[in-house]
């Protein structure tokens, strides 16, 4: 199971997540986006709407109905009512339920870096888990320490 740690230093999650979501949808897969706070989920929703019309990322919110048909579902917990096998933890909080997915994307910033470091230490020792670290360098993402 692969866990990608994304350190947000330049752009907020609502600007970064759409590109990753588009790649997942391009693979024919579904995505669950988890953030506890409703206002953060709303900002992410706006980010998914913000691209050009040809890059529109269809999505819905847990609890609004029709969750099962949503290619991207925004939710406060790791319950994939849309059948997603990919999860994005978009609020800087690690949840062990993410390990039940095929792949997890863990976004954190300066305010949540301590939790990310602790999660890295734990996950890097777990059998079957491959953590990878990504950081922003200008407008690009580079892998590494």
């Amino acid at each position: 199971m692969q866990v990608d740690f994304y350190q947000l230093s330049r752009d907020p999650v609502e600007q970064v997540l759409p590109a990753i979501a588009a790649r997942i949808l391009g693979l024919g897969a579904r995505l669950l986006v988890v953030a506890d706070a409703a206002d953060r989920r709303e900002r992410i929703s706006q980010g998914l709407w913000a691209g050009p019309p040809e890059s529109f990322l269809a999505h819905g919110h847990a609890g609004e109905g029709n969750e099962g048909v949503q290619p991207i579902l925004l939710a406060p917990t790791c319950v994939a009512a849309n059948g997603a096998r990919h999860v994005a933890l978009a609020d800087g909080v690690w949840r062990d339920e993410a390990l039940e997915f095929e792949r997890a994307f863990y976004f954190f910033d300066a305010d949540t870096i301590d939790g990310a470091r602790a999660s890295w230490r734990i996950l890097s020792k777990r059998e079957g888990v491959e953590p990878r670290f990504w950081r922003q360098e200008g407008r690009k993402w580079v892998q590494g320490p």
Side-chain angles (χ1 to χ4, degrees):
M1 186 283 156
Q2 184 173 313
V3 179
D4 291 295
F5 284 69
Y6 281 84
Q7 184 174 8
L8 302 169
S9 58
R10 182 178 172 275
D11 300 317
V13 68
E14 59 267 21
Q15 290 179 11
V16 173
L17 186 61
I20 290 171
R23 284 196 312 245
I24 291 168
L25 294 183
L27 297 171
R30 292 178 177 218
L31 177 66
L32 176 67
V33 178
V34 179
D36 188 44
D39 63 327
R40 182 177 301 252
R41 290 193 308 273
E42 186 54 38
R43 286 192 313 271
I44 291 168
S45 178
Q46 292 301 315
L48 294 170
W49 282 106
E54 66 275 6
S55 68
F56 167 70
L57 297 167
H59 63 282
H61 294 265
E64 291 183 346
N66 294 318
E67 288 93 342
V69 300
Q70 298 298 338
I72 301 170
L73 183 65
L74 308 178
T77 65
C78 286
V79 177
N82 65 341
R85 298 303 308 142
H86 296 79
V87 63
L89 304 176
D91 59 3
V93 177
W94 174 256
R95 296 157 177 86
D96 281 340
E97 297 88 353
L99 295 173
E100 298 170 15
F101 291 78
E102 290 176 14
R103 188 170 181 183
F105 301 87
Y106 178 26
F107 297 92
F108 64 96
D109 58 18
D111 294 335
T112 56
I113 195 168
D114 291 336
R117 286 178 177 151
S119 297
W120 178 275
R121 284 191 296 273
I122 292 167
L123 292 172
S124 64
K125 296 175 184 172
R126 267 187 105 148
E127 188 174 326
V129 176
E130 178 190 345
R132 296 190 319 175
F133 175 78
W134 297 90
R135 61 182 163 74
Q136 290 179 292
E137 196 171 275
R139 291 206 159 283
K140 297 183 337 184
W141 286 96
V142 287
Q143 187 177 356

